[in-house]
Structures are given as C-alpha cells and as structure tokens.
Amino acid sequence: MSFTPHGKHLVAGQWIDGMMHFASTPAQGPSHRFAVGTPEIVGRACDAAEAASWTYAATSREDRALFLEAIADEIEARAPTITEIAAQETGLPTARLDGERGRTTGQLRLFAAHIRQGDYLDRRRDPALPERTPLPRPEIRLTQRPVGPVAVFGASNFPLAFSTAGGDTAAALAAGCPVVVKGHSAHPGTGEIVAEAILAAIHRCGLPAGVFSLVQGGAREVGEALVTHPFIKAVSFTGSLAGGRALFNLCAARPEPIPFFGELGSVNPMFLLPAATANRAEAVGLGWAASLALGAGQFCTRPGIVVVVDGPDADRFVTATATELEKIAPQTMLTDGIATAYQKGCGHFVTNEGIRPVVLTVSEGRAALPNLFETTGQTFAGNLSLAEEVFGPLGLVVRVASLAEMHELALGFKGQLTMTMHMDDADLEVARSLVPVLERKAGRVLVNGFPTGVEVVDSMVHGGPWPASSNFGATSVGTMSIRRFLRPVAYQNFPEALLPDDFNA
C-alpha cells in the first residue's frame, strides 16, 4: 500500500496540524497537503527543545549512542516507504535513494561509535600545585559540553543525508543537543516519515519528547523566527549563498549572537597539469563528464570548472568530455525552482562575450541536459560572474596560456569546498607550487580523483573558506562535525562528585 502523509508538524512528540496548508510538487506521483509552519509553531518547538536540553545534556554517551543507533534502526524499518515517497517527491532514482539512506544510517552508527570512545571530548587535566610559589595552582580540568538547542535547515538536494535525520541532526544529537528541523518543502513527505522514525527512537530510548521537532513549510518568517529564537544556540544550513547570508546576518544581529554553520556554494575547480593532460586527456575527460552530470549536477561538490594549459592536449580533453556529455539523457531536477535557475545560468553563459559553447542544449521543465562551455584565462579573470556556482550539469573549461597564468588564476578563486589536481609524476614540481594555494582556498584537496564522492569518515572535511561555508574551521561531514555543537568548559577545584560523567567514563 502506498504511503499517504498526514501532513502535520512534529512538536515535542505530538503531531500538530496548522491553519494553512501547502501542496507538495512531486516529480511524479500524487501531490499531498502539508501544514504550513508559523512563528508560533517554531516557538513551541524551541520551548520544548530548551526544556529537554537539561535532561538530554546530562545523558551518558552510551545512552546517546543507543539513541543514534535506534534512529538508524527505525529508518531502516521504513526503508521501502522512504524510498517510495522520496522518489516521488525528488525524481531521484531508487538506487541513489537507497544509497543515500545507507549513508544516513551509516553516519548515525559511526557517530554512535565515535562518542562511545570519548576522544572527541579532548579531556584535559592539570593537577593542583599547592606548593608552587609565589602562588599555588588549583586543579583545572577541561571537557566539551553541549551548546544547547540547535536549528537545522533541511537541504533540497539530499532528502535523507542532509535533511531531517541527516549529518547535522546526527551531529547535534551526538553532542547532546536537542534539534529543531526546518523541513524543506521539496520533500515534506520524506521528512515526515523520517521524523516518525526519530519519534519511535525517542520512545524506545525513554528520552524527553522535546529532543526533536520538525516544522514543515512556511515562508521566510518561519526561518527567521527559528534562528532568532533565544533558546536556539547554533544553526546549521545547506543552501544558497543569498539565503545563507541572510540567516548568517540574523544570527550575528541577535542580542546573543550565535554560530551559523552554513554550506553556501562552490564550483570545485580542477587543475589539469601538463603531463597528466598529455598522457590521460581522454580518460580525465570521461571521468569529468560523469562527475559533472552525476545526479543532474545537483551536488555541492560538482566540479564545475576545469583549468588547463591551452594546446592539442587540451583539445583532446575537451573533445572527450563533449563526446561523453552528448550521450547523457535528460535527468529530472529536484524542484521547478532549481530547474529554472539552471536554465537561467546556462543562458548567462550563452550570452556572455568571450564564452564559446562546446555542448549546447535546451532543457525544458524539470528535465536537465548537460552544457559545456570554454573560455580563456584572460576572459575568466576579467569576469567574476563566471566563477559563480550554477547548480546543475554545466561545465566550463578555462584555457590558460601558461602554468604561471594557471597559478595566478588559482590565487583568484574564492573559498571552495574542494579543489583538485590531475597530475603524473612529471608534474610533481608544478603540483608542489600549487598545493599551498589550493589548501588555502579549499577544505578538501584531491589528486587524480573527482570530488563528488564525500566519504563519511573521521578524516573528512566538508567545508571551506567563505563563500563555500560560513565557518572555515568546521565540517558538516565526518565525526569532526560533532564539535560544531560543543564548547569547552574548564572546571577549577571541582570535587569528583560534581564533575560531568564524561570525566569518569
């Protein structure tokens, strides 16, 4: 039997309807009605999160680990239904959704194992030195403590891994922070059934109901009410630069400013070094085409720009890329708005002087076809708009006249999630000169790969300097993401009985 959402908000364990409703716009299948969020609903969710925060922050790491694992279990118990509704809402293929669900449950279990170990707490102890002169030293201990309730904004392009129970929610819950999720209107039914899984895990683990709430839909005022609520102590967001900057400004303007962890946009440039281009132009071109068009180019790590030294080897690379892109059939984009923005972005390149179309297509409705353009390094350096993200399968080849121009162009990029070098052994000296630039500009630097695969592991960094993200010292993927929702507290001259349990476990 097909799943029919009830279309309500989840606030402190209760499913709550609203006075107004919106209709979902699925890529296929039936539309459903969902309650529209309001500032009043947001307030109730935040009040419940604050009430729950005192109990939840005091839970043991083992209790929180069991909770994360219970959420993973409950999501997997609903796997067929989640795939069904998510495929309808987003148009994503079932294999992609099954893989994303596995990533979601996998990171919940990874975070559970990580907090059990306790290393993330960075516990320290400086013993008392009562005999020290001229003044004695008290005993000082340090650990990390939860910041309090966290607001999470669901992402359009990852209905599972970056939304209701995605990495941000998992990280905050692992840290001991209640979560209020602002659901994304592109996949409200998916959000609802995942919220049901979280609620089942709350009941199973005997936790306070206010540990998690989901507020569906709503206009800009709903997001504003969430980030400005005095009980919210941190915000996590994945989305556009304009939307993220507006929320960032609200967080900074509060009477009590709070951290805003936003992933905002990246073109993820790749640099093809001469020996690699000479030896592997066609292979790299085929790999780039596949990475560029994966998921209709709707990945934040899509490598949208390639920089290569002009010449016959660059010609071979462009030809191979174009030939492969021309084979790709139309793919459904996540929302009408994303499709319209992609078409507008392609139009910007078509009308831009100094840009030559290599593969030029016309996308209609929510069906996207790849486009490929090329330009010179001089034209690119003189037109900052060419370095802005176009969300979709659009690629730009920048042909530079020399390695020196490639280096200068690398220096001109703004902050990125990733930067990549394709190199062979003969390129080592050139690569050595580029690495300091790339590591200054990006959170993840790759060699001979494509950045669209983001591993959920201890060592992953998914973040970067502005405007890739709003906090260059944070990551939204991997176990280090938990640290965003913790703060260090020093305990001076504390008796053992008063210290947090983390010191004794």
Side-chain angles (χ1 to χ4, degrees):
M1 181 180 293
S2 295
F3 170 69
T4 301
H6 50 64
K8 298 177 181 179
H9 312 289
L10 175 62
V11 177
Q14 301 296 318
W15 292 102
I16 298 174
D17 208 345
M19 297 293 293
M20 300 180 62
H21 296 81
F22 70 96
S24 63
T25 55
Q28 58 196 19
S31 173
H32 301 286
R33 291 175 61 77
F34 294 87
V36 174
T38 64
E40 188 270 334
I41 293 291
V42 166
R44 291 172 63 178
C46 293
D47 289 348
E50 173 69 2
S53 66
W54 306 101
T55 300
Y56 190 58
T59 56
S60 68
R61 299 198 309 278
E62 178 62 21
D63 285 343
R64 295 199 301 278
L66 291 172
F67 179 39
L68 296 174
E69 291 167 341
I71 296 173
D73 292 343
E74 296 291 345
I75 288 173
E76 289 181 344
R78 294 161 174 78
T81 309
I82 289 173
T83 298
E84 176 195 4
I85 189 68
Q88 290 176 1
E89 290 183 324
T90 66
L92 293 172
T94 57
R96 152 72 192 273
L97 290 166
D98 288 343
E100 189 181 329
R101 189 186 67 253
R103 169 178 167 171
T104 303
T105 57
Q107 66 191 358
L108 285 160
R109 294 190 171 106
L110 173 66
F111 289 1
H114 184 73
I115 63 174
R116 278 191 175 104
Q117 294 172 355
D119 295 342
Y120 75 104
L121 294 168
D122 193 18
R123 291 168 290 193
R124 307 181 185 196
R125 177 178 178 269
D126 288 294
L129 298 175
E131 307 302 324
R132 190 183 69 173
T133 58
L135 293 173
R137 186 179 76 186
E139 179 189 62
I140 303 174
R141 301 194 189 195
L142 177 146
T143 191
Q144 308 291 325
R145 297 297 296 156
V147 298
V150 172
V152 172
F153 285 74
S156 64
N157 59 333
F158 280 90
L160 299 171
F162 271 92
S163 290
T164 310
D168 293 332
T169 296
L173 294 176
C177 301
V179 173
V180 178
V181 170
K182 168 68 168 63
H184 201 287
S185 58
H187 42 76
T190 309
E192 178 185 303
I193 194 167
V194 174
E196 287 184 350
I198 298 174
L199 180 59
I202 289 173
H203 292 325
R204 178 170 150 186
C205 296
L207 294 172
V211 162
F212 175 84
S213 292
L214 169 69
V215 179
Q216 296 276 29
R220 179 176 297 180
E221 64 177 2
V222 176
E224 292 177 354
L226 183 55
V227 301
T228 57
H229 195 284
F231 287 155
I232 294 297
K233 300 304 178 185
V235 175
S236 184
F237 171 87
T238 300
S240 69
L241 177 59
R245 184 58 195 247
L247 295 175
F248 175 87
N249 290 343
L250 287 171
C251 289
R254 289 171 37 139
E256 177 199 1
I258 58 172
F260 175 81
F261 299 103
E263 183 196 309
L264 308 177
S266 183
V267 294
N268 307 294
M270 301 199 306
F271 298 84
L272 273 56
L273 304 191
T277 312
N279 296 331
R280 299 184 283 114
E282 289 83 3
V284 177
L286 294 179
W288 183 40
S291 181
L292 182 68
L294 182 67
Q298 298 169 116
F299 286 85
C300 48
T301 52
R302 172 191 58 87
I305 294 177
V306 167
V307 183
V308 61
V309 176
D310 196 13
D313 295 333
D315 294 342
R316 291 166 45 223
F317 166 75
V318 172
T319 298
T321 303
T323 300
E324 193 67 15
L325 289 176
E326 288 170 344
K327 300 175 184 177
I328 295 173
Q331 299 179 78
T332 303
M333 303 202 83
L334 293 159
T335 69
D336 293 330
I338 290 173
T340 300
Y342 172 63
Q343 294 162 17
K344 182 178 179 181
C346 292
H348 173 71
F349 277 74
V350 169
T351 59
N352 223 299
E353 188 175 349
I355 306 299
R356 187 181 80 83
V358 180
V359 175
L360 188 60
T361 64
V362 177
S363 298
E364 297 180 346
R366 279 171 71 165
L369 285 164
N371 287 272
L372 181 65
F373 301 89
E374 65 178 9
T375 189
T376 65
Q378 185 176 10
T379 298
F380 183 83
N383 189 341
L384 295 177
S385 69
L386 300 178
E388 295 177 1
E389 181 183 27
V390 176
F391 201 57
L394 182 149
L396 175 65
V397 178
V398 181
R399 294 176 178 253
V400 294
S402 65
L403 289 172
E405 187 179 11
M406 177 182 285
H407 192 277
E408 284 301 309
L409 194 147
L411 284 169
F413 275 105
K414 295 179 180 179
Q416 304 290 327
L417 293 171
T418 75
M419 282 186 160
T420 301
M421 293 185 297
H422 287 271
M423 57 171 287
D424 285 354
D425 290 344
D427 293 314
L428 186 59
E429 289 305 313
V430 177
R432 184 173 284 118
S433 69
L434 267 180
V435 167
V437 179
L438 305 193
E439 67 183 13
R440 174 79 67 87
K441 298 286 184 176
R444 177 163 57 114
V445 183
L446 297 81
V447 170
N448 293 339
F450 299 93
T452 36
V454 182
E455 295 290 339
V456 184
V457 293
D458 290 330
S459 53
M460 179 52 64
V461 173
H462 190 62
W466 180 272
S469 61
S470 60
N471 190 312
F472 61 78
T475 176
S476 61
V477 176
T479 54
M480 200 176 78
S481 66
I482 299 170
R483 289 292 297 268
R484 295 174 296 169
F485 308 119
L486 296 165
R487 65 181 184 87
V489 177
Y491 298 84
Q492 184 169 320
N493 274 349
F494 257 58
E496 291 283 342
L498 278 182
L499 287 169
D501 288 342
D502 282 331
F503 281 113
N504 304 314

